[in-house]
Amino acid sequence: MMKALAREGRWIAISLGITFAVLVLSILALRQNPLTVFGLLAERLLLKPYGLGQMLYKATTLIFTGLGCALAFRCGLFNIGAEGQLYAGAFLMAVVAPHLPLPMILLIPACLAIAALGGGLWGLVPGWLKAKRGAHEVITTMMMNFIALALTNYLISAHFHEPETIHTAELPVAAYLPQLPMESSAVNASLFVAIALAFAVHYFLWSTPLGFELRAVGSNPTAAKTSGVPVDMRIFLILVLSGCLSGLAGINFILGYKHYFEQGFASGAGFMGIAVALVAKNYPIGVIFSALLFAFLSQAGLTVQSVIPRELFEILQGLVILVVVICQNKYGGAE
Amino acid sequence: MITFLLQGLRISGPYVLAALAGVFSETGGVVNIALEGILLNGALAAVLAAYWTGSPWLGVLAGVLAGVAAAGIHAFAALRYKVDQVISGLAVNFLVAGLSRFLLKLVFNSTSNSARVEGLAPWAGVDPFLVLTVLIVIASHWTIKRTVFGLRLRAVGEHPRAAETLGIKVLRMRLWGVLISGALAGLGGAWLSLDQHQFTDAMSGGRGYIALAAVIIGKWTPLGAAAAALFFGFAEASQIILQTYGLRVPTQFVQMIPYALTLAAVAGLIGRSRPPAADGIPYSDEQD
């Protein structure tokens, strides 16, 4: 861990430095005092339980989708379908869970399993198309995203919405994940699930034989094939597992916050997961920190919008991606 | 019937231009997921310029230039720094989405839409965008299939190493492909916003991605991609017409058509769809 940090320190420092410089210059260009803005950020975001809680809440969703993307990228597959997988998992969980007469201790694990299953199913189609028909996963996962959005949209409006609303029925109280005591912020126990999962993915990829095989498929498929790895089956498995991880992202909103599925409830979190994984160089533990960075930028805009337009921070999110990937290529050193 | 035809053409226009944009970029071997952001940037710049100068034609020019600028960022990251093309395309989309909202707030003090601007005056009753687009479709086909430029562009997309051996500057050709792509999609964006006389937040609405689908279904050829884009545009228009006659086809199913067809196409169910051999693979110029 420390060795990794030392190796990666250079590009991290340079890209954060550039982003920070752009932020300061933009604030000056808007005729505001950067110190006022940073003061506000410290006071209302980092030191106030509510602000910090909202940031952690946003980071939670991003850790799940970031892990989903990172797992696939690590194994050489460019799965950009986290958005669709998130919606598939969340929707399946939201419509099935209210019909399960289970006590809390069973219901919550069941919900997690259903969400993972839904996301996995959405990863299964591109997995099959890749393994059996050679169809490129960038195209298939992107198409599956839009199909998921349109399909859940249709199913909600035609069948599953509560009268007078655009969301599904509420889940039974036994499925609620506890909120964390940070004023009225939305952060909840999903955060711990996400962090535990990051360590689990790390362990799986680097300390189990199957994880080693999956990474081998990514770094050198020909060599993997020669040494007897069933590459097609492994490709299929990678895309399904990656889908399962992104599918779990919905628990943050549904089990931990609003307790129902609503169209567009996590809009963009799947796409942002791609950025989260890339900035973390597809290291599962790194995903936690990278998710915190993007959650910070997103919450920072809301925090200081009385002084500068919050849209400035949306630009910064795009800029961070670009600056980081360029700096990784330029200063990143060997893998 | 005539209204349906005109409606269909109007809706298809930006799709067709963005699909041609995709063909130019990918023929040269650069995947262009940034089309969505390029459309959006073109749409925004067109309205801003038309608003400030009062001339919709300057708006069109600004839209094209803004498209080239957004494509330039993609090219800079993908060609100069060999960033993965999908990543740099996505980064451009994020960047433009933020930028457009920022300027919407700064210039029009709104989170949703700009002020109204003048659209293009019709030429003898025909939308100038339509005329331009028809000409561009023909010119694109001719350029890619019949000119030396087109041959070189195809060469660097199919086999860059061989092209370089023949003295073609691979990265420079790829840069041209991406910049032309930016100009075309920027024009598509200008059509989108000037047609509605205003810019609205996120108005590209996934059209860039549908255009990519059209490129695949059209088998990476200008005429094929334009035809696929036309088909998607008319599917959207027919759904609006059906609704006015009280026939309700769920919107969402019409929205899914391009995506489902694309899945079928890449799965080999409706003829094999094969990209340029070196599409998406970064190239290192040895003399660089």
Side-chain angles (χ1 to χ4, degrees):
Chain A
M1 189 71 206
M2 288 322 288
K3 240 172 34 197
L5 259 185
R7 192 177 63 221
E8 312 290 354
R10 191 149 164 237
W11 68 261
I12 294 177
I14 294 172
S15 44
L16 285 182
I18 294 175
T19 311
F20 186 73
V22 171
L23 176 61
V24 171
L25 289 176
S26 321
I27 296 173
L28 288 173
L30 290 164
R31 293 165 206 275
Q32 293 292 341
N33 184 349
L35 291 177
T36 318
V37 175
F38 297 138
L40 274 178
L41 283 178
E43 183 194 328
R44 295 195 200 153
L45 205 170
L46 296 175
L47 299 175
K48 195 168 166 16
Y50 176 78
L52 198 59
Q54 285 300 95
M55 175 180 135
L56 292 173
Y57 169 75
K58 287 182 176 169
T60 305
T61 308
L62 294 178
I63 294 175
F64 284 113
T65 54
L67 284 176
C69 296
L71 178 92
F73 298 171
R74 209 11 101 184
C75 304
L77 291 171
F78 214 96
N79 172 18
I80 58 172
E83 186 88 3
Q85 289 147 8
L86 186 170
Y87 277 98
F91 182 79
L92 193 65
M93 176 175 75
V95 296
V96 173
H99 302 291
L100 299 176
L102 294 171
M104 187 167 189
I105 194 149
L106 294 175
L107 186 56
I108 288 180
C111 282
L112 298 192
I114 295 168
L117 178 77
L121 281 175
W122 224 247
L124 188 138
V125 179
W128 184 82
L129 287 171
K130 172 88 180 180
K132 292 292 159 203
R133 317 285 309 198
H136 200 292
E137 72 279 4
V138 166
I139 295 163
T140 54
T141 52
M142 187 199 296
M143 298 303 139
M144 290 297 285
N145 280 340
F146 295 116
I147 293 176
L149 291 177
L151 194 62
T152 52
N153 199 349
Y154 167 72
L155 288 172
I156 294 258
S157 59
H159 297 290
F160 291 102
H161 68 97
E162 287 290 278
E164 311 288 317
T165 71
I166 51 159
H167 58 72
T168 60
E170 281 200 21
L171 265 58
V173 178
Y176 289 16
L177 280 171
Q179 304 236 299
L180 302 189
M182 299 186 79
E183 295 179 351
S184 59
S185 73
V187 64
N188 59 77
S190 307
L191 175 64
F192 302 126
V193 180
I195 292 174
L197 211 52
F199 283 92
V201 173
H202 179 87
Y203 177 82
F204 170 69
L205 283 177
W206 274 275
S207 305
T208 66
L210 183 60
F212 176 79
E213 271 188 33
L214 296 190
R215 284 190 298 124
V217 167
S219 50
N220 195 340
T222 325
K225 195 165 212 151
T226 324
S227 55
V229 177
V231 170
D232 284 354
M233 277 310 297
R234 293 296 175 260
I235 285 175
F236 184 73
L237 183 65
I238 291 163
L239 285 171
V240 171
L241 283 179
S242 161
C244 290
L245 290 170
S246 298
L248 280 167
I251 69 166
N252 191 32
F253 179 86
I254 296 177
L255 300 188
Y257 182 36
K258 291 282 191 188
H259 312 116
Y260 51 70
F261 179 100
E262 182 177 70
Q263 194 59 36
F265 75 89
S267 86
F271 291 115
M272 207 37 108
I274 301 168
V276 168
L278 291 168
V279 169
K281 280 185 116 177
N282 309 324
Y283 287 109
I285 310 295
V287 162
I288 300 172
F289 298 98
S290 160
L292 284 172
L293 170 69
F294 282 100
F296 171 79
L297 287 175
S298 159
Q299 189 61 25
L302 292 173
T303 308
V304 297
Q305 61 178 336
S306 58
V307 188
I308 50 172
R310 69 185 156 91
E311 290 79 6
L312 177 64
F313 285 88
E314 294 179 28
I315 303 180
L316 278 184
Q317 295 190 31
L319 190 77
V320 163
I321 305 171
L322 212 54
V323 169
V324 162
V325 288
I326 289 178
C327 287
Q328 281 175 352
N329 278 22
K330 209 163 147 58
Y331 307 104
E335 271 287 294
Chain B
M1 193 61 212
I2 295 289
T3 24
F4 170 65
L5 206 64
L6 286 177
Q7 176 89 320
L9 288 174
R10 252 188 61 217
I11 293 179
S12 308
Y15 287 121
V16 171
L17 287 169
L20 289 174
V23 171
F24 269 97
S25 180
E26 302 215 0
T27 299
V30 181
V31 169
N32 199 350
I33 287 193
L35 285 180
E36 180 75 9
I38 298 174
L39 276 173
L40 194 64
N41 212 33
L44 174 73
V47 162
L48 280 179
Y51 175 73
W52 281 324
T53 65
S55 156
W57 280 106
L58 284 178
V60 173
L61 182 68
V64 171
L65 292 178
V68 173
I73 299 176
H74 179 40
F76 174 75
L79 299 176
R80 177 87 173 77
Y81 286 104
K82 320 276 180 261
V83 168
D84 184 286
Q85 296 165 2
V86 175
I87 299 168
S88 84
L90 282 172
V92 168
N93 291 346
F94 277 117
L95 204 58
V96 174
L99 183 72
S100 64
R101 252 174 260 169
F102 179 70
L103 288 175
L104 207 50
K105 185 66 160 288
L106 224 53
V107 179
F108 301 105
N109 195 24
S110 158
T111 51
S112 58
N113 59 278
S114 72
R116 263 185 81 81
V117 296
E118 199 71 33
L120 292 183
W123 289 343
V126 185
D127 189 340
F129 274 121
L130 196 56
V131 180
L132 284 178
T133 303
V134 172
L135 293 177
I136 287 172
V137 171
I138 298 166
S140 302
H141 173 74
W142 186 75
T143 306
I144 286 185
K145 298 283 170 189
R146 295 289 155 85
T147 63
V148 176
F149 176 84
L151 181 66
R152 288 185 176 160
L153 193 63
R154 279 183 285 146
V156 300
E158 282 293 339
H159 204 316
R161 189 63 67 195
E164 196 188 345
T165 320
L166 295 172
I168 300 173
K169 295 242 185 301
V170 174
L171 291 181
R172 190 177 298 173
M173 281 312 296
R174 288 190 164 186
L175 177 64
W176 276 114
V178 177
L179 294 184
I180 293 173
S181 176
L184 293 175
L187 182 65
W191 184 336
L192 207 57
S193 58
L194 290 178
D195 186 61
Q196 296 181 15
H197 300 278
Q198 66 172 356
F199 177 83
T200 50
D201 181 32
M203 79 182 304
S204 48
R207 284 179 180 78
Y209 299 111
I210 293 198
L212 282 180
V215 172
I216 295 161
I217 299 200
K219 303 190 174 167
W220 284 268
T221 65
L223 295 183
L230 213 53
F231 173 74
F232 295 157
F234 271 91
E236 201 178 309
S238 65
Q239 173 232 331
I240 297 169
I241 298 281
L242 287 178
Q243 253 168 25
T244 56
Y245 286 102
L247 282 165
R248 285 195 51 83
V249 181
T251 332
Q252 295 91 350
F253 285 113
V254 181
Q255 285 170 355
M256 273 191 262
I257 292 176
Y259 310 124
L261 273 182
T262 307
L263 279 183
V266 292
L269 297 180
I270 46 175
R272 204 81 186 112
S273 205
R274 195 187 69 84
D279 200 8
I281 304 167
Y283 183 77
S284 298
D285 221 324
E286 241 61 320
Q287 297 106 341
D288 216 5

